[in-house]
Amino acid sequence: MTERDDQIQETSITDVFASFEGDVPASGRRSSPARLVRRYLPAVFAFLAVLLVWEGLTRLFGVESFVLSKPSEILNSFSETSGLIWGAGMRTLFEAAGGFVIGTSLAVATSLAAAHWVGFRQGVLPLAIVLNATPIAALAPIFNNWFGLTNPFSKMAVVAVVVYFPVMINTTRGLLEVDPAELELMRSLAASPSEVTRRIRIPRALPYFFSSLKVASVLSLIAAIIAEYFGGPQDVLGQYIVNRAQLFQFPDAWAAILVASILGVVFYLLILAAERWLMPWHVSFRTSE
Amino acid sequence: MSAPVVEARGLGKVFGTGEAETEALRGIDLEIAEGDFVSLIGPSGCGKSTLLRLIGDLVSPTTGTLVVNGKEPRQSRLDRDYGIVFQSATLLDWRSVQKNVELPLEIMDFPDAERPTRAREMLDLVQLAGFADHHPWQLSGGMQQRVAIARALAFRPALLLMDEPFGALDEMTREAMQQEVLRVWGETGTSVVFVTHSIPEAVFLSTRVVVMSPRPGRISDEIMVDLPPKRDLDTREDPRYFELVIEVREALRRGESGSSGS
Ligand SMILES: Nc1ncnc2c1ncn2[C@@H]1O[C@H](COP(=O)(O)OP(=O)(O)O)[C@@H](O)[C@H]1O
Ligand SMILES: [Mg+2]
């Protein structure tokens, strides 16, 4: 229970996101509106600049819409088809969120078991790391077959499997990567293994858990849309995008992609908010007083 | 009540096996009476921490017998007979100062109503009452170490084990903390085993200084500190204090040369 030599490999994508989080302002909890503006203004400008250049170049060179639609066309479609694409977006989000909850729950259960039983950890973790390297979206046709093409659960299953690995691997790592001095302190207090898990391992694992959740939130939408490409109900983002593209209605397809990315960002921000609420003590959120 | 709090006979500890074998301690005989303040002093690597950790059942002896509070060390740990303070405070970042002090009380199932009262008493004792709601990272090193002491004493253990608790502090803070520990010791009547590599610190604090020598770690000398029980600034200027400092220094030197000769 106290062995901690296990070096569990973290997925590289998590590192990328972790470094991105380093950007979070240290004074996060009490940012004034003025600070927020100052902080995000460059990003807003960059975003607008990209749109302008995009619009300008496509106009200048007369790029056809099926090659690259103009932002103005996309925005036009975005407002005209808003009922349709937001409806599709909500159904896709339902699949993504359902799969996210299932995958995360299973991952946390596995992690707790892995932290508790050395044998379990030694048997299961290498297997998990191997499976993690499998392109999981390839499972979509199989799940369609298992659970039924029109059953949203077949999409949730794909999402759950995609979400499962990064969350499980990172959370397990967090549960095991505990300061030996803290374990010694708990031993001196004759604390039971479950006390150690509750009072040391879980709080210590929270930062790892949340950083994997942020990755998983984005992955879950990607996985849901890819799963939808493999067939199923038509009123979801994946199928909508495929259908509009086949009809050469590319601005519509782009508008649906825009909905997907807005949903992805909102999902991500929700996790970020939950993280701050649950671990206000964490280094990256500390206020200097 | 004359049974010793710690009684070691021929205690030895070997880490590892074969090539990687390290004999950390050999033939340790040590008796610590109730109310004693005993310092373990010796060069780095002579097994001071190992001896302390043996008493706390954080490692097990290879040879010899050890009785803590009249029991097997393991039983003594399970009975929560001792509190321990390490060189680093090891406070939990996600808990306030008060909640850190309550940690042992939670683990030991103290009643909900009693925990905050106890914790506040302890914070009073280490003069940190005003910092109960702060978080560890908002405190200086010395303050963090005082919280660790409050935590170690919160459940009123019979024995306090301290492993170079002030090693990381500057000289001024260190002297203030020494005074603090003596006051706490006077008020609680706990027996203390205190690891240090500072000779003045050992003499100033202790009723007895145990001098250790390395390779393998043994007890080479024991020096009774016959200074008045009340220690303060005057103590540090007492001629007897200087004599004792010299005595301990010479004992340390003898221990080192003795070990290289054998
Ligand atoms: N867990 C351990 N495993 C192997 N060797 C150890 C361990 N703990 C201590 N030692 C060795 O035992 C000797 C005594 O160490 P220690 O008790 O920490 O000395 P001190 O506290 O006096 O500096 C050292 O040689 C050290 O390397
Ligand atoms: Mg040491």
Side-chain angles (χ1 to χ4, degrees), chain A residues 91-113:
Chain A
R91 280 179 286 276
T92 298
L93 182 64
F94 173 69
E95 295 163 1
F100 178 88
V101 169
I102 296 166
T104 301
S105 310
L106 293 175
V108 168
T110 314
S111 298
L112 287 171

PDB file of all heavy atoms in Angstrom, chain A residues 91-113:
ATOM      1  N   ARG A  91     -27.800  17.126 -28.561  1.00  0.00           N
ATOM      2  CA  ARG A  91     -27.847  15.651 -28.564  1.00  0.00           C
ATOM      3  C   ARG A  91     -26.436  15.057 -28.553  1.00  0.00           C
ATOM      4  O   ARG A  91     -26.171  14.073 -27.872  1.00  0.00           O
ATOM      5  CB  ARG A  91     -28.670  15.157 -29.751  1.00  0.00           C
ATOM      6  CG  ARG A  91     -30.183  15.238 -29.473  1.00  0.00           C
ATOM      7  CD  ARG A  91     -31.005  14.774 -30.652  1.00  0.00           C
ATOM      8  NE  ARG A  91     -31.000  15.758 -31.739  1.00  0.00           N
ATOM      9  CZ  ARG A  91     -31.825  16.818 -31.796  1.00  0.00           C
ATOM     10  NH1 ARG A  91     -32.736  17.002 -30.858  1.00  0.00           N
ATOM     11  NH2 ARG A  91     -31.748  17.668 -32.792  1.00  0.00           N
ATOM     12  N   THR A  92     -25.535  15.717 -29.264  1.00  0.00           N
ATOM     13  CA  THR A  92     -24.141  15.239 -29.240  1.00  0.00           C
ATOM     14  C   THR A  92     -23.525  15.456 -27.857  1.00  0.00           C
ATOM     15  O   THR A  92     -22.828  14.590 -27.323  1.00  0.00           O
ATOM     16  CB  THR A  92     -23.320  15.979 -30.317  1.00  0.00           C
ATOM     17  OG1 THR A  92     -23.879  15.671 -31.596  1.00  0.00           O
ATOM     18  CG2 THR A  92     -21.856  15.561 -30.289  1.00  0.00           C
ATOM     19  N   LEU A  93     -23.850  16.608 -27.277  1.00  0.00           N
ATOM     20  CA  LEU A  93     -23.332  16.900 -25.937  1.00  0.00           C
ATOM     21  C   LEU A  93     -23.846  15.869 -24.928  1.00  0.00           C
ATOM     22  O   LEU A  93     -23.110  15.447 -24.022  1.00  0.00           O
ATOM     23  CB  LEU A  93     -23.757  18.312 -25.512  1.00  0.00           C
ATOM     24  CG  LEU A  93     -23.233  18.776 -24.142  1.00  0.00           C
ATOM     25  CD1 LEU A  93     -21.709  18.865 -24.150  1.00  0.00           C
ATOM     26  CD2 LEU A  93     -23.825  20.141 -23.765  1.00  0.00           C
ATOM     27  N   PHE A  94     -25.101  15.457 -25.114  1.00  0.00           N
ATOM     28  CA  PHE A  94     -25.680  14.447 -24.231  1.00  0.00           C
ATOM     29  C   PHE A  94     -24.867  13.153 -24.288  1.00  0.00           C
ATOM     30  O   PHE A  94     -24.527  12.562 -23.250  1.00  0.00           O
ATOM     31  CB  PHE A  94     -27.146  14.196 -24.626  1.00  0.00           C
ATOM     32  CG  PHE A  94     -27.784  13.052 -23.898  1.00  0.00           C
ATOM     33  CD1 PHE A  94     -28.056  13.127 -22.534  1.00  0.00           C
ATOM     34  CD2 PHE A  94     -28.143  11.900 -24.582  1.00  0.00           C
ATOM     35  CE1 PHE A  94     -28.652  12.068 -21.862  1.00  0.00           C
ATOM     36  CE2 PHE A  94     -28.735  10.837 -23.920  1.00  0.00           C
ATOM     37  CZ  PHE A  94     -28.991  10.918 -22.557  1.00  0.00           C
ATOM     38  N   GLU A  95     -24.527  12.743 -25.518  1.00  0.00           N
ATOM     39  CA  GLU A  95     -23.700  11.537 -25.665  1.00  0.00           C
ATOM     40  C   GLU A  95     -22.316  11.742 -25.030  1.00  0.00           C
ATOM     41  O   GLU A  95     -21.818  10.872 -24.314  1.00  0.00           O
ATOM     42  CB  GLU A  95     -23.469  11.212 -27.144  1.00  0.00           C
ATOM     43  CG  GLU A  95     -24.723  10.837 -27.898  1.00  0.00           C
ATOM     44  CD  GLU A  95     -24.540  10.928 -29.418  1.00  0.00           C
ATOM     45  OE1 GLU A  95     -23.419  11.262 -29.877  1.00  0.00           O
ATOM     46  OE2 GLU A  95     -25.515  10.674 -30.137  1.00  0.00           O
ATOM     47  N   ALA A  96     -21.745  12.923 -25.306  1.00  0.00           N
ATOM     48  CA  ALA A  96     -20.395  13.193 -24.791  1.00  0.00           C
ATOM     49  C   ALA A  96     -20.400  13.221 -23.266  1.00  0.00           C
ATOM     50  O   ALA A  96     -19.551  12.606 -22.615  1.00  0.00           O
ATOM     51  CB  ALA A  96     -19.884  14.523 -25.337  1.00  0.00           C
ATOM     52  N   ALA A  97     -21.393  13.922 -22.695  1.00  0.00           N
ATOM     53  CA  ALA A  97     -21.441  14.054 -21.239  1.00  0.00           C
ATOM     54  C   ALA A  97     -21.739  12.713 -20.581  1.00  0.00           C
ATOM     55  O   ALA A  97     -21.146  12.364 -19.554  1.00  0.00           O
ATOM     56  CB  ALA A  97     -22.483  15.099 -20.841  1.00  0.00           C
ATOM     57  N   GLY A  98     -22.661  11.946 -21.209  1.00  0.00           N
ATOM     58  CA  GLY A  98     -22.981  10.619 -20.669  1.00  0.00           C
ATOM     59  C   GLY A  98     -21.741   9.739 -20.644  1.00  0.00           C
ATOM     60  O   GLY A  98     -21.412   9.120 -19.625  1.00  0.00           O
ATOM     61  N   GLY A  99     -21.036   9.711 -21.771  1.00  0.00           N
ATOM     62  CA  GLY A  99     -19.818   8.903 -21.857  1.00  0.00           C
ATOM     63  C   GLY A  99     -18.755   9.399 -20.905  1.00  0.00           C
ATOM     64  O   GLY A  99     -18.037   8.604 -20.278  1.00  0.00           O
ATOM     65  N   PHE A 100     -18.673  10.708 -20.755  1.00  0.00           N
ATOM     66  CA  PHE A 100     -17.695  11.331 -19.849  1.00  0.00           C
ATOM     67  C   PHE A 100     -17.941  10.867 -18.417  1.00  0.00           C
ATOM     68  O   PHE A 100     -17.015  10.467 -17.703  1.00  0.00           O
ATOM     69  CB  PHE A 100     -17.847  12.854 -19.970  1.00  0.00           C
ATOM     70  CG  PHE A 100     -16.961  13.657 -19.072  1.00  0.00           C
ATOM     71  CD1 PHE A 100     -15.678  14.007 -19.480  1.00  0.00           C
ATOM     72  CD2 PHE A 100     -17.417  14.089 -17.842  1.00  0.00           C
ATOM     73  CE1 PHE A 100     -14.867  14.764 -18.653  1.00  0.00           C
ATOM     74  CE2 PHE A 100     -16.604  14.844 -17.013  1.00  0.00           C
ATOM     75  CZ  PHE A 100     -15.330  15.180 -17.419  1.00  0.00           C
ATOM     76  N   VAL A 101     -19.216  10.898 -18.000  1.00  0.00           N
ATOM     77  CA  VAL A 101     -19.549  10.499 -16.626  1.00  0.00           C
ATOM     78  C   VAL A 101     -19.246   9.011 -16.420  1.00  0.00           C
ATOM     79  O   VAL A 101     -18.624   8.618 -15.418  1.00  0.00           O
ATOM     80  CB  VAL A 101     -21.027  10.820 -16.308  1.00  0.00           C
ATOM     81  CG1 VAL A 101     -21.454  10.181 -14.989  1.00  0.00           C
ATOM     82  CG2 VAL A 101     -21.231  12.326 -16.275  1.00  0.00           C
ATOM     83  N   ILE A 102     -19.657   8.199 -17.395  1.00  0.00           N
ATOM     84  CA  ILE A 102     -19.422   6.756 -17.254  1.00  0.00           C
ATOM     85  C   ILE A 102     -17.918   6.463 -17.217  1.00  0.00           C
ATOM     86  O   ILE A 102     -17.417   5.768 -16.336  1.00  0.00           O
ATOM     87  CB  ILE A 102     -20.079   5.980 -18.424  1.00  0.00           C
ATOM     88  CG1 ILE A 102     -21.601   6.141 -18.373  1.00  0.00           C
ATOM     89  CG2 ILE A 102     -19.696   4.502 -18.361  1.00  0.00           C
ATOM     90  CD1 ILE A 102     -22.306   5.696 -19.658  1.00  0.00           C
ATOM     91  N   GLY A 103     -17.195   7.034 -18.191  1.00  0.00           N
ATOM     92  CA  GLY A 103     -15.755   6.770 -18.288  1.00  0.00           C
ATOM     93  C   GLY A 103     -15.014   7.247 -17.054  1.00  0.00           C
ATOM     94  O   GLY A 103     -14.155   6.542 -16.513  1.00  0.00           O
ATOM     95  N   THR A 104     -15.367   8.453 -16.577  1.00  0.00           N
ATOM     96  CA  THR A 104     -14.697   9.004 -15.406  1.00  0.00           C
ATOM     97  C   THR A 104     -14.982   8.156 -14.164  1.00  0.00           C
ATOM     98  O   THR A 104     -14.082   7.873 -13.375  1.00  0.00           O
ATOM     99  CB  THR A 104     -15.145  10.460 -15.175  1.00  0.00           C
ATOM    100  OG1 THR A 104     -14.833  11.218 -16.344  1.00  0.00           O
ATOM    101  CG2 THR A 104     -14.457  11.072 -13.984  1.00  0.00           C
ATOM    102  N   SER A 105     -16.235   7.737 -14.003  1.00  0.00           N
ATOM    103  CA  SER A 105     -16.588   6.938 -12.821  1.00  0.00           C
ATOM    104  C   SER A 105     -15.804   5.633 -12.803  1.00  0.00           C
ATOM    105  O   SER A 105     -15.237   5.250 -11.771  1.00  0.00           O
ATOM    106  CB  SER A 105     -18.083   6.618 -12.796  1.00  0.00           C
ATOM    107  OG  SER A 105     -18.821   7.788 -12.994  1.00  0.00           O
ATOM    108  N   LEU A 106     -15.782   4.960 -13.963  1.00  0.00           N
ATOM    109  CA  LEU A 106     -15.043   3.697 -14.022  1.00  0.00           C
ATOM    110  C   LEU A 106     -13.553   3.930 -13.776  1.00  0.00           C
ATOM    111  O   LEU A 106     -12.900   3.146 -13.091  1.00  0.00           O
ATOM    112  CB  LEU A 106     -15.251   3.022 -15.383  1.00  0.00           C
ATOM    113  CG  LEU A 106     -16.673   2.520 -15.654  1.00  0.00           C
ATOM    114  CD1 LEU A 106     -16.791   1.987 -17.077  1.00  0.00           C
ATOM    115  CD2 LEU A 106     -17.064   1.439 -14.646  1.00  0.00           C
ATOM    116  N   ALA A 107     -13.050   5.029 -14.319  1.00  0.00           N
ATOM    117  CA  ALA A 107     -11.624   5.327 -14.159  1.00  0.00           C
ATOM    118  C   ALA A 107     -11.286   5.556 -12.687  1.00  0.00           C
ATOM    119  O   ALA A 107     -10.295   5.038 -12.174  1.00  0.00           O
ATOM    120  CB  ALA A 107     -11.250   6.557 -14.985  1.00  0.00           C
ATOM    121  N   VAL A 108     -12.128   6.313 -11.999  1.00  0.00           N
ATOM    122  CA  VAL A 108     -11.856   6.608 -10.591  1.00  0.00           C
ATOM    123  C   VAL A 108     -11.931   5.324  -9.762  1.00  0.00           C
ATOM    124  O   VAL A 108     -11.075   5.078  -8.893  1.00  0.00           O
ATOM    125  CB  VAL A 108     -12.840   7.677 -10.055  1.00  0.00           C
ATOM    126  CG1 VAL A 108     -12.768   7.777  -8.542  1.00  0.00           C
ATOM    127  CG2 VAL A 108     -12.534   9.025 -10.699  1.00  0.00           C
ATOM    128  N   ALA A 109     -12.921   4.489 -10.069  1.00  0.00           N
ATOM    129  CA  ALA A 109     -13.028   3.221  -9.339  1.00  0.00           C
ATOM    130  C   ALA A 109     -11.775   2.375  -9.550  1.00  0.00           C
ATOM    131  O   ALA A 109     -11.200   1.836  -8.591  1.00  0.00           O
ATOM    132  CB  ALA A 109     -14.276   2.466  -9.796  1.00  0.00           C
ATOM    133  N   THR A 110     -11.316   2.293 -10.800  1.00  0.00           N
ATOM    134  CA  THR A 110     -10.105   1.521 -11.085  1.00  0.00           C
ATOM    135  C   THR A 110      -8.903   2.112 -10.344  1.00  0.00           C
ATOM    136  O   THR A 110      -8.093   1.384  -9.769  1.00  0.00           O
ATOM    137  CB  THR A 110      -9.774   1.534 -12.589  1.00  0.00           C
ATOM    138  OG1 THR A 110     -10.957   1.279 -13.328  1.00  0.00           O
ATOM    139  CG2 THR A 110      -8.730   0.483 -12.934  1.00  0.00           C
ATOM    140  N   SER A 111      -8.787   3.436 -10.364  1.00  0.00           N
ATOM    141  CA  SER A 111      -7.642   4.093  -9.725  1.00  0.00           C
ATOM    142  C   SER A 111      -7.605   3.804  -8.232  1.00  0.00           C
ATOM    143  O   SER A 111      -6.549   3.538  -7.667  1.00  0.00           O
ATOM    144  CB  SER A 111      -7.710   5.603  -9.930  1.00  0.00           C
ATOM    145  OG  SER A 111      -7.655   5.902 -11.296  1.00  0.00           O
ATOM    146  N   LEU A 112      -8.773   3.892  -7.591  1.00  0.00           N
ATOM    147  CA  LEU A 112      -8.815   3.640  -6.148  1.00  0.00           C
ATOM    148  C   LEU A 112      -8.402   2.196  -5.864  1.00  0.00           C
ATOM    149  O   LEU A 112      -7.647   1.927  -4.927  1.00  0.00           O
ATOM    150  CB  LEU A 112     -10.208   3.930  -5.587  1.00  0.00           C
ATOM    151  CG  LEU A 112     -10.555   5.423  -5.507  1.00  0.00           C
ATOM    152  CD1 LEU A 112     -12.019   5.625  -5.151  1.00  0.00           C
ATOM    153  CD2 LEU A 112      -9.661   6.132  -4.490  1.00  0.00           C
ATOM    154  N   ALA A 113      -8.884   1.280  -6.704  1.00  0.00           N
ATOM    155  CA  ALA A 113      -8.500  -0.127  -6.524  1.00  0.00           C
ATOM    156  C   ALA A 113      -6.999  -0.287  -6.742  1.00  0.00           C
ATOM    157  O   ALA A 113      -6.320  -0.977  -5.986  1.00  0.00           O
ATOM    158  CB  ALA A 113      -9.282  -1.009  -7.486  1.00  0.00           C
TER     159      ALA A 113
END
